[in-house]
Each structure stands twice: as structure tokens, then as C-alpha cells.
């Protein structure tokens, strides 16, 4: 099922895409990383791994959003994606910055930490899609990052204790401001699907599914502290 509060925002494509990937979302929702994050028992070193990689990821995500703005069909959507790119870099970096200070992660440490295979794969997939695919397919590839984070954030918020050490993360993704951004992204993707050919809609579904898989892989990689072996 979709995130609470978003059902009214769904069009034909987004409803079908979520339904096709509902089992994958349930796997993400209940995976050890998110279960322990909700309980507040996630080891700090695993969250530290995640937050550093997520900061790297958001740079690539911001680039892909900027390219979506360049491909957008109308001025309002250009502004929407341009603002989303800014928020990915500025607003969410502020969230990361608080954890970075708590964990003693300085700019040099961050810069010296390489992207893990999961992070590198996800960033490369989004940027390649942004360059090589039409606007509608790019929207579908970008949507899971918005939507799954909102769904996970809502789920964790509903069961997390007030003294959860990851409360700042939980409140960000369960908040009204992020909900509005997610609803706008769903609406933009559904509008793009209306003008897409049958072949493009099939590619949109493949892109949504691939990005959903990469969301799972990103969190799973952080939980396992996965890194390059060579």
C-alpha cells in the first residue's frame, strides 16, 4: 500500500508502479537496517557508514535532478526539479552535517571515503539514465528515492521511541515538507506517463523497479558495512 496521506496524489502510473513493487517495499521496510533504526538499536558504526554514503549519493542525485530540470517540459516543472536538486544538496546536507559533527567526521574524512559499490552503482545508474533516457523514464528512476524514503520514514515514525538516537533522520523523512516534495514528484511522474508511448511506459516501469532494487541494496550495503574487496 502507498504511504499514508499520499493516496489522493496517485495517478495511473504511480499506482501501478507501487503495486508492482509492493513486495520489494515490504522487504525494505522490514529489513534489519530499518527495523533496528526504528527500535533505536542500530549500531552507530552502521548508521555512520550509511550517512557518509548517503551524503555522497545526494551529490549524484542532485546532478540527476538538475538534468531532469533541463529536460522538463514546462517552466513550473523546471522550477520544481531545480528546487529539488537544491534541497538534495543543501537541506539534506544540513541533516547529515548534524550527524557528521556528532561522529567527528570532518570534510577531509568525508572526501577521503570512497563510494561503496552500492552507492557507486546507484549514482551511476541515475546519472546514466538522466543523460541517456527521455524525461519520463528519468522521472520514474528518480521517484523511488523520494517515495520509499517517505514510506519508510512514516513507518518508522509510527513505531519509534521518542528518545531514538536517530530522531532527526526520522523526523525529516516523516515530515510535512518532505511529504509535499514526494507528492509533487509523484504528480510530475504521472503527468510524464500520460504523454509517454507504450514503449516508454514499459521503460518507466523498468526504471522504477531498478531504482527500488538499488534502494534496498544501498541500505543492505550499509548494514553489512560492504566495501570494495580490491
Amino acid at each position: 500500500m502507498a504511504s499514508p496521506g499520499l493516496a489522493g496524489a496517485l495517478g495511473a502510473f504511480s499506482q501501478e508502479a507501487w503495486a508492482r513493487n509492493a513486495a520489494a517495499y515490504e522487504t525494505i521496510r522490514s529489513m534489519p537496517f530499518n527495523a533496528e533504526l526504528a527500535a533505536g538499536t542500530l549500531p552507530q558504526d552502521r548508521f555512520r557508514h550509511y550517512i557518509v554514503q548517503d551524503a555522497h549519493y545526494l551529490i549524484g542525485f542532485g546532478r540527476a535532478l538538475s538534468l531532469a530540470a533541463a529536460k522538463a517540459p514546462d517552466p513550473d516543472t523546471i522550477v520544481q526539479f531545480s528546487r529539488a536538486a537544491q534541497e538534495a544538496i543543501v537541506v539534506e546536507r544540513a541533516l547529515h552535517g548534524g550527524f557528521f559533527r556528532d561522529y567527528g567526521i570532518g570534510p577531509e574524512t568525508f572526501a577521503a571515503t570512497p563510494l561503496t559499490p552500492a552507492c557507486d552503482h546507484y549514482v551511476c545508474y541515475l546519472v546514466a539514465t538522466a543523460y541517456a533516457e527521455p524525461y519520463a523514464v528519468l522521472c520514474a528512476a528518480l521517484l523511488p528515492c523520494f517515495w520509499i524514503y517517505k514510506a519508510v520514514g512514516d513507518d518508522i515514525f509510527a513505531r519509534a521511541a521518542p528518545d531514538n538516537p536517530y530522531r532527526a533522520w526520522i523526523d525529516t523523512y516523516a515530515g510535512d515538507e518532505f511529504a509535499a516534495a514526494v507528492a509533487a514528484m509523484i504528480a510530475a511522474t504521472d503527468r510524464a506517463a500520460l504523454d509517454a508511448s507504450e514503449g516508454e511506459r514499459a521503460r518507466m516501469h523498468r526504471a522504477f523497479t531498478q531504482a527500488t532494487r538499488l534502494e534496498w541494496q544501498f541500505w543492505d550495503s550499509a548494514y553489512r558495512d560492504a566495501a570494495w574487496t580490491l
Side-chain angles (χ1 to χ4, degrees):
M1 59 185 297
S3 294
L6 291 179
L10 304 186
F13 173 80
S14 59
Q15 288 187 58
E16 184 177 355
W18 189 268
R20 288 187 183 190
N21 292 275
Y25 165 68
E26 179 58 26
T27 298
I28 290 170
R29 186 194 71 81
S30 59
M31 67 191 302
F33 185 97
N34 287 323
E36 293 178 17
L37 181 64
T41 59
L42 182 70
Q44 187 181 103
D45 61 334
R46 287 174 175 165
F47 190 80
R48 184 184 188 279
H49 174 120
Y50 159 79
I51 208 74
V52 170
Q53 291 302 311
D54 197 43
H56 279 301
Y57 165 82
L58 285 173
I59 297 171
F61 188 58
R63 289 193 176 104
L65 288 165
S66 295
L67 290 164
K71 292 185 173 187
D74 57 77
D76 288 343
T77 315
I78 292 170
V79 171
Q80 175 186 335
F81 279 103
S82 297
R83 286 177 176 167
Q86 179 181 356
E87 288 169 3
I89 301 298
V90 176
V91 177
E92 294 196 56
R93 179 178 284 178
L95 171 66
H96 292 136
F99 286 111
F100 278 20
R101 287 189 297 274
D102 292 344
Y103 300 158
I105 303 169
E108 298 81 8
T109 300
F110 172 71
T113 303
L115 277 65
T116 61
C119 184
D120 186 67
H121 186 176
Y122 201 173
V123 168
C124 288
Y125 172 71
L126 290 179
V127 173
T129 301
Y131 276 107
E133 293 285 2
Y135 168 73
V137 178
L138 175 55
C139 286
L142 291 167
L143 180 55
C145 184
F146 284 88
W147 200 351
I148 290 173
Y149 263 68
K150 176 57 179 168
V152 169
D154 285 345
D155 178 73
I156 291 176
F157 181 84
R159 54 193 171 110
D163 59 351
N164 190 302
Y166 307 115
R167 173 58 61 181
W169 187 97
I170 296 166
D171 288 348
T172 295
Y173 294 111
D176 292 341
E177 187 173 347
F178 188 62
V182 175
M185 185 66 205
I186 291 170
T189 306
D190 281 330
R191 288 195 303 272
L194 291 175
D195 296 326
S197 67
E198 183 177 347
E200 283 181 341
R201 282 178 65 90
R203 284 153 65 191
M204 289 177 72
H205 278 294
R206 286 197 295 271
F208 188 97
T209 295
Q210 180 68 355
T212 299
R213 292 186 185 121
L214 290 168
E215 285 290 320
W216 171 84
Q217 188 176 58
F218 192 95
W219 271 314
D220 180 68
S221 173
Y223 192 78
R224 293 184 294 104
D225 197 22
W228 297 99
T229 57
L230 290 177

